[in-house]
Amino acid sequence: MSLTEKDSRAPESGAQPPVVAGVFARVARFSHRRRRLALTLWIIVLVGVWAAASGGDDYRENYSLPGTESQAAADLLNHSSRTTTGDSLQIVLHDEDGLRGADVRGRVDAMLAEVAKLPKVTQVRSLYEDESAVSRDGTIGYATAVLDVTAPNMPREDTERILDTVKEVEGQGLTAELGGGAARKLATGEGGWGEMLGLVFALVILVFMFGTLIAAGLPIVTALFAVGSTLAVIVVASHFVTIADYTPYVMMLVGLGVGIDYALLIFARFRSELVRGATPEEANVKALDSAGRTAFFAGSTVILALLGLVALGLGSLQGMALSVALTVLVTLLASLTLLPALLGVFGDRFARQFRARAAKRAASSRPEEGAAWRRFASGVQRRPLAVLLVAVVALGALAFPALSLRLGFTDAGNDKAGSTSREAYDLLSKGFGPGFNGPLYVVVEGKDGAEAPATAVAAALNDTDGVAAATGPIPTDDPNVATVMAFPTTSPQDEGTSELVGTLRDDVLPRVAEETGARYLVGGATAASEDYSDKVAARMPVFMAIVVGLSLLLLMVVFRSVLIPLKAALLNLLSIGAALGAISLVFQHGMFGVEPGPIEAYLPVVIFAIVFGLSMDYEIFLVSRIQEEWHRAKDPAVAVREGLGHTGSVIIAAGAIMVVVFGSFMLSPERMLQQMGFGMAVAIFVDALVIRCLIVPAVMQLLGRRAWWLPAPLAKVMPGVRLERH
């Protein structure tokens, strides 16, 4: 029997449902009967991929933006230089009594000489070689250590060695700090324990739900096998494709969440079949052929949404999207093969435990399982319009701050207080002005030499509001190319700096170019951030069309309805808006004492893709059960009530697990992971509690039979897929 066929045999009264010989049923039966083989194969896969990954990773980031002005400026500078160097570190020194004294200078020179001997350091430019490297009051200065590698490729231990050498100069009023991209890695510390804390909380929720530690541990074991195997594959793949170093954390974030959720959905159905009297094998087959089928299509929506990120064409973001999509795919495979094998191992024990607990419940005259959710659904059905309006208004209010999202990239000013990179940032801002940490680079390309047009633009920049100072021409190996540095009066993350980029590009530089005939390009971190945000905004409509469109088609096939997919898409957008609004309040405006700053430029599209897919999971979980009850009773009110009665506790438990797993990333030292974890935790909380348990029942009650409407022409050409067997 194919995937889309349905069983036409009706079970006799009181008999067990017939075993369906579909694809999922066959997989379940094989995994159950050959459970030792299935477990052995998974162990071999896990050990094998990690053996292949033993050579280490080669994570790297690619933020190149072809077609943007900042990228053109960077390319022009690279082409005009015959030598290629790595990034640099700033050795920032502070002494209230001044840095020019003979004793201080001697100690500093000796320290810089030691730094120059360290690995990865190609040269050190002393602060005493350039008057501009010391503040006007003489108390703050910086030396530059040029590296032979870029900051992402700088080994942490080598940076720590440089910092230790720099710190040896401290004493007698002199302090020293280390700034630069490589130094920022020292501020992040090591992660990992926050994720473990999330798993512990997930285990507690599962124990509370299933009553035994073994039953609670199976979904977590399944998720760990899937995520662990995929992480090793990505380690190997990082040597061949561009994968950012934050990708493994995002993979764990999503993989653990969906892995536990899918296994929980299947396990909950397995338990209910055991309680009804099915044998462990029958329960295994039935669970996989119903809940497993649901998990398969739910996971497909997540994968489709993640693959939509590839359409953005944004460097390492594509590698991250493919990696997380692969994680979800392997998680699905583990839920459909490894979990049934584990259920086969412990099936007899679970049958005794769950049936004994059900008999005890019945003997105590306690309400049947799901009774509280049926009463809750009935309450929503009595006032569906009021519930809908209140919930939508509340979520709309939470989503409103998302309209003023300010995108950008964090810098050392957002690092942990007391870290050496943050201290260096603050000292440089104090000594040289807030714009010193984020200068704008104006790359000049002249036809007959770059010195004259560069001098002209430097004069124009010095007369521009928002520019504290502009340097004279900095020559390159190409006489027709030079650089002018402009230091804003505002910090890199200030809106005034973003406005200055626009002023230079739209007003100042075109005017100078008309006078000199030279070409002027604005580059630098702030300009690149603006270009990145503009690029994302320009491609967002295509990205959303792909993600939403494919998801709508999939749901139309699954539910054979037009209104249900439209409703799902609109509600998913509402939950995403609420998540982005919450991120804006906390991370952009500094609610709860969080260091305010911009939202990572690529975060909205990443959250959109992941949350849209995960929200579709809960939609499929709930509506597939409502559909099953609709086919059975043909009463829309009963279908909604029974659907929520059967799935409400599972959705809340699954949502709670995702919230604690995602929320645990708030403990990460990486600000980007904090933003992502918080946003996704808010989105899942809103989706599971407000949307699926309040808004969906209210909307389905208002729609009634119209919820299942499908135009006749579409019904003739659209294939049918039955998620639940009944």
Side-chain angles (χ1 to χ4, degrees):
M1 183 177 292
S2 69
L3 181 74
T4 58
E5 290 181 280
K6 64 178 182 180
D7 190 5
S8 60
R9 296 171 292 176
E12 297 178 3
S13 177
Q16 291 297 328
V19 176
V20 183
V23 172
F24 294 95
R26 289 198 296 271
V27 171
R29 188 174 296 282
F30 174 85
S31 298
H32 182 94
R33 293 180 176 178
R34 302 284 191 273
R35 46 189 174 271
R36 288 186 177 85
L37 175 60
L39 290 172
T40 301
L41 289 175
W42 269 101
I43 292 173
I44 291 174
V45 168
L46 184 63
V47 173
V49 292
W50 274 109
S54 59
D57 60 68
D58 186 24
Y59 296 125
R60 54 195 183 279
E61 300 182 15
N62 176 18
Y63 291 112
S64 61
L65 294 170
T68 63
E69 184 170 332
S70 59
Q71 186 63 49
D75 292 341
L76 183 57
L77 277 180
N78 290 333
H79 292 154
S80 62
S81 178
R82 298 191 186 94
T83 59
T84 301
T85 60
D87 290 329
S88 61
L89 290 167
Q90 290 78 47
I91 302 170
V92 184
L93 301 145
H94 176 228
D95 193 323
E96 288 294 343
D97 295 328
L99 296 171
R100 292 191 172 93
D103 177 61
V104 172
R105 179 166 183 167
R107 292 160 56 197
V108 170
D109 284 340
M111 177 269 292
L112 296 179
E114 291 299 317
V115 171
K117 300 175 184 177
L118 295 177
K120 307 299 182 185
V121 179
T122 60
Q123 70 174 110
V124 175
R125 293 196 291 268
S126 173
L127 64 161
Y128 301 113
E129 297 175 9
D130 183 358
E131 290 186 4
S132 64
V134 180
S135 63
R136 291 182 179 179
D137 62 5
T139 61
I140 299 173
Y142 65 93
T144 303
V146 181
L147 308 176
D148 61 6
V149 294
T150 59
N153 295 320
M154 178 69 172
R156 183 186 180 94
E157 57 271 19
D158 287 332
T159 308
E160 289 175 339
R161 193 177 305 175
I162 294 174
L163 177 61
D164 292 340
T165 304
V166 167
K167 285 291 187 180
E168 290 176 0
V169 80
E170 290 189 327
Q172 302 176 16
L174 177 64
T175 61
E177 304 292 348
L178 197 62
R184 293 195 63 199
K185 288 186 176 182
L186 305 182
T188 61
E190 298 290 342
W193 68 276
E195 298 90 292
M196 293 303 300
L197 186 62
L199 287 179
V200 171
F201 279 115
L203 183 62
V204 170
I205 294 171
L206 290 170
V207 169
F208 180 78
M209 183 175 183
F210 293 121
T212 69
L213 187 61
I214 294 178
L218 293 192
I220 293 180
V221 169
T222 304
L224 288 175
F225 260 87
V227 174
S229 301
T230 316
L231 279 173
V233 173
I234 298 306
V235 168
V236 176
S238 67
H239 293 275
F240 307 99
V241 296
T242 302
I243 299 176
D245 58 0
Y246 60 79
T247 298
Y249 298 102
V250 182
M251 290 169 59
M252 286 189 289
L253 183 78
V254 178
L256 291 176
V258 300
I260 295 173
D261 265 15
Y262 297 158
L264 170 61
L265 178 70
I266 295 170
F267 193 98
R269 190 63 182 249
F270 173 78
R271 180 184 64 172
S272 67
E273 294 300 325
L274 287 178
V275 171
R276 291 176 184 174
T279 65
E281 183 176 346
E282 290 171 340
N284 214 339
V285 172
K286 178 65 177 178
L288 208 65
D289 201 46
S290 54
R293 190 182 300 263
T294 300
F296 174 80
F297 285 102
S300 298
T301 62
V302 181
I303 293 172
L304 285 175
L306 286 165
L307 293 180
L309 285 174
V310 178
L312 287 173
L314 296 176
S316 50
L317 198 61
Q318 293 176 307
M320 185 276 292
L322 292 172
S323 300
V324 179
L326 179 62
T327 305
V328 176
L329 177 61
V330 176
T331 297
L332 275 176
L333 293 176
S335 300
L336 300 176
T337 56
L338 176 61
L339 180 61
L342 293 171
L343 294 179
V345 172
F346 298 102
D348 292 333
R349 174 185 296 189
F350 290 153
R352 291 191 300 270
Q353 292 174 338
F354 294 149
R355 288 168 185 166
R357 192 174 295 113
K360 184 177 180 181
R361 185 186 186 97
S364 64
S365 300
R366 292 171 59 189
E368 64 175 329
E369 191 171 350
W373 283 104
R374 292 181 179 89
R375 290 195 301 272
F376 181 85
S378 297
V380 172
Q381 288 174 315
R382 283 193 292 270
R383 297 287 187 274
L385 187 59
V387 170
L388 177 62
L389 290 176
V390 171
V392 169
V393 169
L395 294 184
L398 182 58
F400 183 76
L403 298 176
S404 60
L405 274 180
R406 186 162 60 87
L407 304 180
F409 292 102
T410 57
D411 57 25
N414 301 112
D415 287 347
K416 182 173 59 177
S419 63
T420 189
S421 56
R422 175 64 181 272
E423 292 298 314
Y425 179 97
D426 291 341
L427 283 173
L428 290 174
S429 296
K430 178 181 177 182
F432 301 95
F436 185 84
N437 287 289
L440 299 174
Y441 295 87
V442 179
V443 182
V444 184
E445 184 180 29
K447 298 177 181 178
D448 300 312
E451 184 175 356
T455 302
V457 80
L461 290 172
N462 280 315
D463 290 336
T464 301
D465 291 339
V467 176
T471 66
I474 302 173
T476 67
D477 293 330
D478 185 341
N480 291 325
V481 178
T483 305
V484 174
M485 294 177 62
F487 295 96
T489 58
T490 50
S491 66
Q493 296 179 6
D494 194 284
E495 282 190 71
T497 307
S498 299
E499 293 172 358
L500 177 61
V501 173
T503 300
L504 296 182
R505 287 176 171 175
D506 300 335
D507 182 23
V508 177
L509 297 183
R511 189 173 64 249
V512 180
E514 186 176 350
E515 297 172 356
T516 63
R519 180 188 182 201
Y520 298 96
L521 300 170
V522 180
T526 304
S529 176
E530 292 296 307
D531 290 340
Y532 198 98
S533 301
D534 292 343
K535 198 87 166 181
V536 170
R539 297 183 181 181
M540 193 72 171
V542 175
F543 163 68
M544 292 180 63
I546 292 173
V547 172
V548 177
L550 291 177
S551 299
L552 285 175
L553 287 175
L554 181 62
L555 287 188
M556 285 179 66
V557 170
V558 168
F559 294 121
R560 298 188 68 78
S561 166
V562 172
L563 297 180
I564 287 177
L566 289 174
K567 176 259 308 173
L570 291 175
L571 293 181
N572 289 355
L573 293 175
L574 187 59
S575 67
I576 293 169
L580 295 178
I583 290 175
S584 175
L585 289 174
V586 173
F587 290 94
Q588 182 174 316
H589 299 288
M591 184 179 284
F592 305 129
V594 175
E595 181 77 30
I599 308 304
E600 295 290 332
Y602 50 80
L603 198 62
V605 293
V606 173
I607 287 183
F608 182 96
I610 296 175
V611 171
F612 193 90
L614 296 180
S615 296
M616 284 297 184
D617 282 2
Y618 293 118
E619 176 74 8
I620 292 176
F621 293 172
L622 174 58
V623 178
S624 62
R625 195 57 190 248
I626 294 176
Q627 184 185 44
E628 180 179 0
E629 299 299 331
W630 162 251
H631 285 298
R632 179 181 291 116
K634 295 300 181 183
D635 185 330
V638 172
V640 172
R641 186 165 58 252
E642 290 299 314
L644 191 60
H646 284 293
T647 61
S649 60
V650 177
I651 289 175
I652 290 299
I657 289 170
M658 277 208 179
V659 167
V660 297
V661 170
F662 293 161
S664 68
F665 278 72
M666 281 289 290
L667 302 175
S668 168
E670 293 280 356
R671 183 177 173 89
M672 182 275 290
L673 292 176
Q674 292 175 0
Q675 292 179 358
M676 182 176 291
F678 175 77
M680 292 175 63
V682 170
I684 296 302
F685 176 84
V686 165
D687 196 89
L689 184 63
V690 180
I691 291 180
R692 305 307 153 192
C693 296
L694 287 172
I695 296 181
V696 169
V699 172
M700 294 295 286
Q701 177 68 21
L702 292 170
L703 290 176
R705 294 176 178 269
R706 293 184 297 274
W708 309 104
W709 171 74
L710 182 68
L714 277 179
K716 291 179 180 179
V717 299
M718 187 175 294
V721 176
R722 181 63 55 82
L723 290 184
E724 298 289 349
R725 300 286 184 177
H726 50 83

